[in-house]
Amino acid sequence: MVLEQAAPLLCAGVTVYSPLRQFGLNVSGLRGGILGLGGVGHMGVKIAKAMEHHVTVISSSDKKRVEAMEHIGADEYLISSDATKMQEAADSLDYIIDTVPVVHPLEPYLSLLKLDGKLILMGAINDPLQFVSPMLMLGRKTITGSFVGSMKETEEMLEFCKEKGLKTMIEVVKMEYINTAFERLEKNDVRYRFVVDVAASNLHQ
Protein backbone atom coordinates (compact mmCIF):
# COMPACT_ATOMS: atom_id res chain seq x y z
CA MET A 1 0.00 0.00 0.00
CA VAL A 2 1.41 3.39 -0.97
CA LEU A 3 2.05 5.80 1.89
CA GLU A 4 -0.36 8.51 0.75
CA GLN A 5 -3.27 6.04 1.08
CA ALA A 6 -2.66 5.45 4.78
CA ALA A 7 -4.29 8.51 6.37
CA PRO A 8 -7.49 8.45 4.23
CA LEU A 9 -7.98 4.74 4.95
CA LEU A 10 -7.40 5.31 8.67
CA CYS A 11 -10.19 7.90 8.50
CA ALA A 12 -12.83 7.12 5.88
CA GLY A 13 -11.85 3.47 5.46
CA VAL A 14 -12.31 2.33 9.04
CA THR A 15 -15.29 4.67 9.52
CA VAL A 16 -17.37 2.64 7.06
CA TYR A 17 -15.74 -0.75 7.68
CA SER A 18 -16.54 -0.68 11.41
CA PRO A 19 -20.37 -0.53 11.26
CA LEU A 20 -20.53 -3.11 8.48
CA ARG A 21 -18.58 -5.45 10.73
CA GLN A 22 -20.22 -4.51 14.05
CA PHE A 23 -23.78 -4.89 12.77
CA GLY A 24 -23.14 -8.18 10.99
CA LEU A 25 -23.34 -6.68 7.52
CA ASN A 26 -19.96 -7.97 6.33
CA VAL A 27 -21.52 -10.91 4.49
CA SER A 28 -22.15 -11.29 0.78
CA GLY A 29 -25.48 -10.88 -0.94
CA LEU A 30 -26.84 -7.85 0.92
CA ARG A 31 -28.36 -4.76 -0.67
CA GLY A 32 -26.97 -1.56 0.77
CA GLY A 33 -27.45 2.16 0.30
CA ILE A 34 -24.86 4.91 0.64
CA LEU A 35 -26.43 8.29 1.33
CA GLY A 36 -23.99 11.03 0.34
CA LEU A 37 -21.05 10.50 -2.01
CA GLY A 38 -18.11 12.25 -0.36
CA GLY A 39 -14.92 11.20 1.39
CA VAL A 40 -16.66 8.62 3.59
CA GLY A 41 -19.40 7.73 1.12
CA HIS A 42 -17.14 6.81 -1.77
CA MET A 43 -15.22 4.39 0.49
CA GLY A 44 -18.56 3.02 1.65
CA VAL A 45 -19.34 2.09 -1.95
CA LYS A 46 -15.94 0.51 -2.50
CA ILE A 47 -15.87 -1.51 0.72
CA ALA A 48 -19.48 -2.67 0.37
CA LYS A 49 -18.88 -3.75 -3.23
CA ALA A 50 -15.76 -5.64 -2.11
CA MET A 51 -18.01 -7.47 0.39
CA GLU A 52 -20.17 -8.46 -2.61
CA HIS A 53 -23.11 -6.20 -1.80
CA HIS A 54 -25.46 -4.66 -4.34
CA VAL A 55 -24.88 -0.94 -3.70
CA THR A 56 -27.18 1.99 -4.40
CA VAL A 57 -25.85 5.53 -4.07
CA ILE A 58 -28.55 7.92 -2.84
CA SER A 59 -28.04 11.58 -3.64
CA SER A 60 -30.03 14.79 -3.83
CA SER A 61 -29.12 15.45 -7.47
CA ASP A 62 -27.98 13.70 -10.63
CA LYS A 63 -24.55 15.36 -10.82
CA LYS A 64 -22.55 12.47 -9.34
CA ARG A 65 -24.28 9.64 -11.23
CA VAL A 66 -21.49 8.98 -13.74
CA GLU A 67 -18.81 9.15 -11.08
CA ALA A 68 -20.73 6.85 -8.73
CA MET A 69 -21.48 4.17 -11.29
CA GLU A 70 -18.61 4.31 -13.78
CA HIS A 71 -15.68 5.30 -11.58
CA ILE A 72 -16.54 4.06 -8.08
CA GLY A 73 -18.60 1.00 -8.97
CA ALA A 74 -22.12 1.54 -7.60
CA ASP A 75 -24.84 -0.67 -9.04
CA GLU A 76 -27.64 1.88 -8.90
CA TYR A 77 -28.09 5.62 -8.38
CA LEU A 78 -31.19 6.98 -6.70
CA ILE A 79 -32.17 10.66 -6.56
CA SER A 80 -33.91 11.32 -3.26
CA SER A 81 -36.15 14.04 -4.74
CA ASP A 82 -37.55 11.66 -7.39
CA ALA A 83 -40.70 10.49 -5.61
CA THR A 84 -41.52 7.83 -8.21
CA LYS A 85 -38.10 6.19 -8.07
CA MET A 86 -38.03 6.40 -4.27
CA GLN A 87 -41.40 4.64 -4.15
CA GLU A 88 -40.17 1.94 -6.52
CA ALA A 89 -37.14 1.39 -4.26
CA ALA A 90 -39.21 1.07 -1.07
CA ASP A 91 -38.43 -1.92 1.17
CA SER A 92 -35.42 -2.89 -0.96
CA LEU A 93 -32.33 -2.24 1.19
CA ASP A 94 -30.83 -4.16 4.10
CA TYR A 95 -29.00 -1.09 5.35
CA ILE A 96 -28.20 2.53 4.56
CA ILE A 97 -24.99 4.27 5.59
CA ASP A 98 -26.01 7.91 6.03
CA THR A 99 -22.97 10.20 5.71
CA VAL A 100 -24.87 13.49 5.39
CA PRO A 101 -23.53 15.97 8.02
CA VAL A 102 -26.46 18.43 7.99
CA VAL A 103 -30.08 18.22 9.14
CA HIS A 104 -32.19 16.15 6.77
CA PRO A 105 -35.42 14.11 6.97
CA LEU A 106 -34.98 10.44 7.91
CA GLU A 107 -38.37 9.12 6.86
CA PRO A 108 -37.67 8.97 3.09
CA TYR A 109 -34.69 6.72 3.80
CA LEU A 110 -36.38 4.60 6.44
CA SER A 111 -38.98 3.77 3.79
CA LEU A 112 -36.23 2.24 1.61
CA LEU A 113 -35.30 -0.33 4.26
CA LYS A 114 -36.47 -3.92 4.34
CA LEU A 115 -37.80 -5.64 7.44
CA ASP A 116 -35.10 -5.37 10.17
CA GLY A 117 -33.17 -2.86 8.05
CA LYS A 118 -30.67 -0.48 9.61
CA LEU A 119 -30.17 3.24 9.03
CA ILE A 120 -26.62 3.95 10.21
CA LEU A 121 -25.93 7.62 10.93
CA MET A 122 -22.34 8.73 10.35
CA GLY A 123 -22.67 12.49 9.86
CA ALA A 124 -22.11 14.55 13.02
CA ILE A 125 -25.21 16.75 13.37
CA ASN A 126 -25.79 18.94 16.43
CA ASP A 127 -29.47 19.64 15.80
CA PRO A 128 -32.30 17.17 16.50
CA LEU A 129 -33.46 14.83 13.74
CA GLN A 130 -37.12 13.83 13.55
CA PHE A 131 -39.11 10.83 12.37
CA VAL A 132 -42.48 9.24 13.13
CA SER A 133 -42.20 6.08 15.21
CA PRO A 134 -44.47 3.85 13.03
CA MET A 135 -41.76 4.04 10.36
CA LEU A 136 -39.61 1.97 12.71
CA MET A 137 -42.28 -0.11 14.40
CA LEU A 138 -43.95 -1.48 11.27
CA GLY A 139 -40.73 -2.84 9.83
CA ARG A 140 -38.69 -3.52 12.99
CA LYS A 141 -36.23 -1.01 11.59
CA THR A 142 -33.30 0.45 13.50
CA ILE A 143 -31.68 3.87 13.58
CA THR A 144 -28.17 3.63 14.93
CA GLY A 145 -24.79 5.33 14.58
CA SER A 146 -21.09 4.67 14.37
CA PHE A 147 -17.92 6.72 14.63
CA VAL A 148 -14.49 5.47 13.46
CA GLY A 149 -13.49 2.04 14.85
CA SER A 150 -11.23 0.05 17.14
CA MET A 151 -7.56 -0.80 16.65
CA LYS A 152 -8.55 -4.36 15.77
CA GLU A 153 -11.04 -3.15 13.17
CA THR A 154 -8.43 -0.77 11.76
CA GLU A 155 -5.97 -3.63 11.31
CA GLU A 156 -8.70 -5.77 9.71
CA MET A 157 -9.71 -2.92 7.39
CA LEU A 158 -6.15 -2.34 6.20
CA GLU A 159 -5.70 -6.05 5.51
CA PHE A 160 -9.10 -6.19 3.76
CA CYS A 161 -8.25 -3.21 1.53
CA LYS A 162 -4.85 -4.72 0.73
CA GLU A 163 -6.43 -8.07 -0.17
CA LYS A 164 -9.15 -6.46 -2.31
CA GLY A 165 -6.91 -3.78 -3.84
CA LEU A 166 -9.06 -0.93 -2.53
CA LYS A 167 -7.83 2.66 -2.59
CA THR A 168 -9.32 6.00 -1.67
CA MET A 169 -9.64 8.68 -4.33
CA ILE A 170 -7.20 11.41 -3.31
CA GLU A 171 -5.30 14.47 -4.50
CA VAL A 172 -1.72 14.71 -3.28
CA VAL A 173 -0.65 18.35 -2.78
CA LYS A 174 2.35 20.16 -1.39
CA MET A 175 2.32 22.42 1.65
CA GLU A 176 2.55 25.55 -0.47
CA TYR A 177 -0.84 24.62 -1.99
CA ILE A 178 -2.55 24.44 1.41
CA ASN A 179 -4.41 27.79 1.22
CA THR A 180 -5.84 26.87 -2.17
CA ALA A 181 -6.77 23.45 -0.80
CA PHE A 182 -8.76 25.06 2.01
CA GLU A 183 -10.53 27.34 -0.48
CA ARG A 184 -11.46 24.32 -2.57
CA LEU A 185 -12.68 22.45 0.50
CA GLU A 186 -15.07 25.31 1.25
CA LYS A 187 -16.47 24.90 -2.28
CA ASN A 188 -16.68 21.11 -1.93
CA ASP A 189 -14.20 20.90 -4.79
CA VAL A 190 -12.15 17.84 -3.88
CA ARG A 191 -12.48 14.20 -4.90
CA TYR A 192 -12.33 13.04 -2.18
CA ARG A 193 -9.42 13.79 0.11
CA PHE A 194 -6.41 16.09 0.02
CA VAL A 195 -3.19 14.46 1.22
CA VAL A 196 -0.31 16.83 1.98
CA ASP A 197 3.13 15.58 0.88
CA VAL A 198 5.29 17.26 3.52
CA ALA A 199 8.51 15.59 2.36
CA ALA A 200 8.18 17.06 -1.15
CA SER A 201 7.13 20.50 0.10
CA ASN A 202 9.25 23.61 0.29
CA LEU A 203 9.06 24.37 4.01
CA HIS A 204 11.62 27.17 3.93
CA GLN A 205 9.62 29.71 1.95
Side-chain angles (χ1 to χ4, degrees):
M1 183 178 297
V2 293
L3 188 60
E4 57 264 30
Q5 285 289 327
L9 286 176
L10 293 174
C11 179
V14 72
T15 296
V16 292
Y17 180 87
S18 176
L20 291 172
R21 179 183 181 278
Q22 286 296 328
F23 299 128
L25 302 170
N26 56 337
V27 294
S28 63
L30 297 182
R31 299 179 70 91
I34 306 295
L35 177 55
L37 191 66
V40 174
H42 92 283
M43 279 309 297
V45 176
K46 291 189 172 199
I47 288 176
K49 284 296 296 179
M51 291 179 177
E52 300 181 8
H53 296 181
H54 182 283
V55 180
T56 298
V57 168
I58 308 165
S59 186
S60 60
S61 75
D62 200 44
K63 66 181 182 179
K64 293 185 179 179
R65 180 186 295 272
V66 172
E67 189 163 7
M69 300 189 69
E70 296 185 10
H71 302 299
I72 302 176
D75 298 290
E76 296 187 49
Y77 190 92
L78 182 61
I79 300 173
S80 57
S81 58
D82 187 331
T84 300
K85 293 295 185 183
M86 290 287 284
Q87 179 61 39
E88 290 173 358
D91 305 316
S92 67
L93 302 177
D94 295 290
Y95 68 88
I96 295 173
I97 291 179
D98 181 349
T99 71
V100 177
V102 296
V103 172
H104 57 287
L106 300 184
E107 289 159 7
Y109 310 109
L110 289 170
S111 70
L112 300 177
L113 295 172
K114 296 179 181 179
L115 181 69
D116 293 323
K118 291 178 172 59
L119 177 62
I120 305 167
L121 303 181
M122 310 197 73
I125 303 169
N126 293 322
D127 296 310
L129 299 175
Q130 294 183 336
F131 60 91
V132 293
S133 59
M135 293 289 295
L136 300 184
M137 297 160 57
L138 295 175
R140 281 200 318 245
K141 300 172 184 180
T142 302
I143 298 174
T144 186
S146 183
F147 187 69
V148 296
S150 67
M151 289 295 293
K152 184 173 187 288
E153 289 169 338
T154 301
E155 292 171 0
E156 287 180 9
M157 177 276 303
L158 289 172
E159 188 59 35
F160 180 81
C161 289
K162 178 182 177 182
E163 176 187 337
K164 301 295 185 178
L166 301 183
K167 296 179 180 179
T168 58
M169 295 174 66
I170 60 173
E171 284 189 49
V172 179
V173 300
K174 296 181 180 179
M175 188 67 77
E176 47 267 39
Y177 188 79
I178 200 71
N179 289 336
T180 302
F182 276 117
E183 291 172 0
R184 288 180 57 194
L185 279 172
E186 290 178 352
K187 299 174 183 176
N188 197 28
D189 178 27
V190 55
R191 297 292 183 269
Y192 282 99
R193 285 286 193 267
F194 283 124
V195 176
V196 181
D197 186 347
V198 177
S201 300
N202 183 359
L203 303 180
H204 303 290
Q205 285 186 339

